[in-house]
Amino acid sequence: MGQENCTIVTEFILLGLSDVPELRVFLSLLFLLIYGVTFLANLGMIALIWVSSRLHTPMYFFLSHLCFVDFCCSTTILPKMLYNILNKERTISFLGCMVQFYLFCTFAMTDIFLLAVMAYDRFLAICNPLLYMVSMSQNLRMVLVSGCYLCATVCSLICLSLVLEIPSYRSNVINQFFCDLPPLLSLACSDVTMNELMVFIMATSNEVMTIVIILTSYLFIVITILRIRSTEGRRKAFSTCASHLTAIIVFHGTVLFTYCRPGSGNSVDTDKVASVFYTVVIPMLNPLIYSLRNKDVKEALRKVLSSKIFS
């Protein structure tokens, strides 16, 4: 790339999902609805866990943090996305872009680590139920959650440093609806082969580590469930894990597709669809998956609503 085409960027232009004017109103209403559901579902789940003594268990402690992280992840992306859809100017300052990328990266990685911790929690609950509350003590819960946030923060700082060391860009137009690492690296004038390799290694190692924890936990869970003689006992044990498994498959599937593959030859439109899933759709779906498939949550919600209505 010729040096004359390179420049120091002070702001970026986010192209968004579509440049068709006729879709602007439809997309704005769609994503406004999604954000509204995300806002109510995640904060509603956190509030329900907080007020319902029935849900004061380790599983729902981790779920409340997952809902918090999902809400923050969505809030990092959607308000700016909606603003850009409704306005012709789709600019974001260099500082704003870096802040958005760092926050998104932190919350997304925290999500990855939390799902692994929740798998370990299900392993203890099903494979060692008599000692579950002792094993998963409050101190251990705090250590595990703090570890998730800390590891995510460190990884995000590494990713941020990989972007900040880029001296100049050949263009300030990002063909994406938010500031993400792959499109930023693709605009660099300098050789970013090592940067891309670092991203691939870190993303893959985090995915492999968390997936190994999840698969190992569920291997022991399945073995334990198959030893249960009663059909009702098996059904109840499987139902407690179904919500978590659904969230894992959807989230890790899109993350693996987007980050854990070589950068060359990727379809931009395909990447955008995958990005919509893990930045917008999944934060909305997670609390719905856990509430619609969980008898404890539905019973706690029914109890809280009935107490408010008849009080």
Side-chain angles (χ1 to χ4, degrees):
M1 180 63 64
Q3 192 66 31
E4 66 274 6
N5 295 325
C6 300
T7 182
I8 297 174
V9 170
T10 58
E11 67 177 18
F12 290 101
I13 298 172
L14 298 170
L15 290 185
L17 290 174
S18 174
D19 56 359
V20 179
E22 289 77 11
L23 290 176
R24 188 174 296 172
V25 175
F26 170 75
L27 289 175
S28 61
L29 292 175
L30 174 64
F31 288 111
L32 182 62
L33 175 63
I34 290 174
Y35 186 61
V37 174
T38 303
F39 182 92
L40 293 174
N42 282 286
L43 295 188
M45 180 68 79
I46 293 171
L48 181 63
I49 293 171
W50 180 268
V51 301
S52 177
S53 58
R54 184 191 186 97
L55 303 181
H56 290 174
T57 63
M59 172 183 171
Y60 295 105
F61 171 78
F62 295 126
L63 178 57
S64 66
H65 282 275
L66 183 69
C67 289
F68 170 74
V69 170
D70 282 340
F71 168 72
C72 291
C73 186
S74 183
T75 301
T76 302
I77 304 297
L78 267 173
K80 180 61 178 175
M81 180 182 176
L82 285 168
Y83 178 82
N84 287 346
I85 290 174
L86 295 172
N87 289 272
K88 292 183 179 180
E89 290 188 7
R90 301 180 177 184
T91 59
I92 183 171
S93 67
F94 181 84
L95 177 60
C97 186
M98 294 301 105
V99 170
Q100 185 188 57
F101 165 67
Y102 171 73
L103 291 176
F104 162 73
C105 194
T106 301
F107 295 130
M109 288 190 175
T110 305
D111 227 327
I112 291 173
F113 296 132
L114 273 174
L115 288 172
V117 167
M118 292 174 74
Y120 175 67
D121 171 71
R122 291 298 82 209
F123 158 73
L124 288 180
I126 293 175
C127 298
N128 199 5
L130 296 179
L131 296 175
Y132 171 55
M133 294 304 294
V134 177
S135 301
M136 189 56 72
S137 63
Q138 187 172 1
N139 288 338
L140 180 58
R141 277 179 265 166
M142 294 303 298
V143 168
L144 289 173
V145 167
S146 299
C148 290
Y149 287 112
L150 179 61
C151 290
T153 301
V154 171
C155 291
S156 300
L157 286 173
I158 294 172
C159 289
L160 182 63
S161 67
L162 294 176
V163 179
L164 291 176
E165 69 180 17
I166 298 173
S168 57
Y169 295 84
R170 56 185 172 83
S171 172
N172 71 332
V173 179
I174 300 175
N175 194 3
Q176 185 57 285
F177 59 89
F178 73 107
C179 293
D180 199 9
L181 189 54
L184 284 170
L185 291 178
S186 69
L187 296 176
C189 280
S190 55
D191 183 16
V192 292
T193 304
M194 288 304 298
N195 303 58
E196 291 176 338
L197 181 61
M198 282 284 292
V199 173
F200 178 77
I201 291 173
M202 186 167 63
T204 305
S205 60
N206 284 337
E207 280 294 303
V208 169
M209 179 185 68
T210 53
I211 288 174
V212 165
I213 293 172
I214 291 166
L215 291 179
T216 304
S217 298
Y218 275 96
L219 175 62
F220 283 105
I221 288 171
V222 170
I223 292 172
T224 302
I225 290 174
L226 292 177
R227 289 176 179 171
I228 300 175
R229 294 185 178 181
S230 68
T231 305
E232 180 63 23
R234 287 185 183 181
R235 189 197 61 77
K236 188 175 180 180
F238 271 120
S239 67
T240 60
C241 301
S243 302
H244 185 234
L245 275 174
T246 305
I248 287 171
I249 291 169
V250 175
F251 183 78
H252 280 278
T254 53
V255 170
L256 284 168
F257 177 81
T258 305
Y259 296 102
C260 301
R261 58 180 179 149
S264 59
N266 293 350
S267 167
V268 174
D269 291 335
T270 305
D271 284 347
K272 284 184 180 181
V273 173
S275 299
V276 168
F277 259 91
Y278 67 77
T279 60
V280 177
V281 177
I282 292 176
M284 176 189 69
L285 287 181
N286 275 345
L288 299 179
I289 289 170
Y290 280 98
S291 59
L292 294 175
R293 295 186 59 91
N294 193 299
K295 287 185 178 180
D296 288 337
V297 172
K298 288 190 284 188
E299 184 60 34
L301 179 60
R302 191 180 299 112
K303 192 174 181 179
V304 169
L305 290 178
S306 62
S307 66
K308 295 295 182 183
I309 292 172
F310 296 108
S311 60

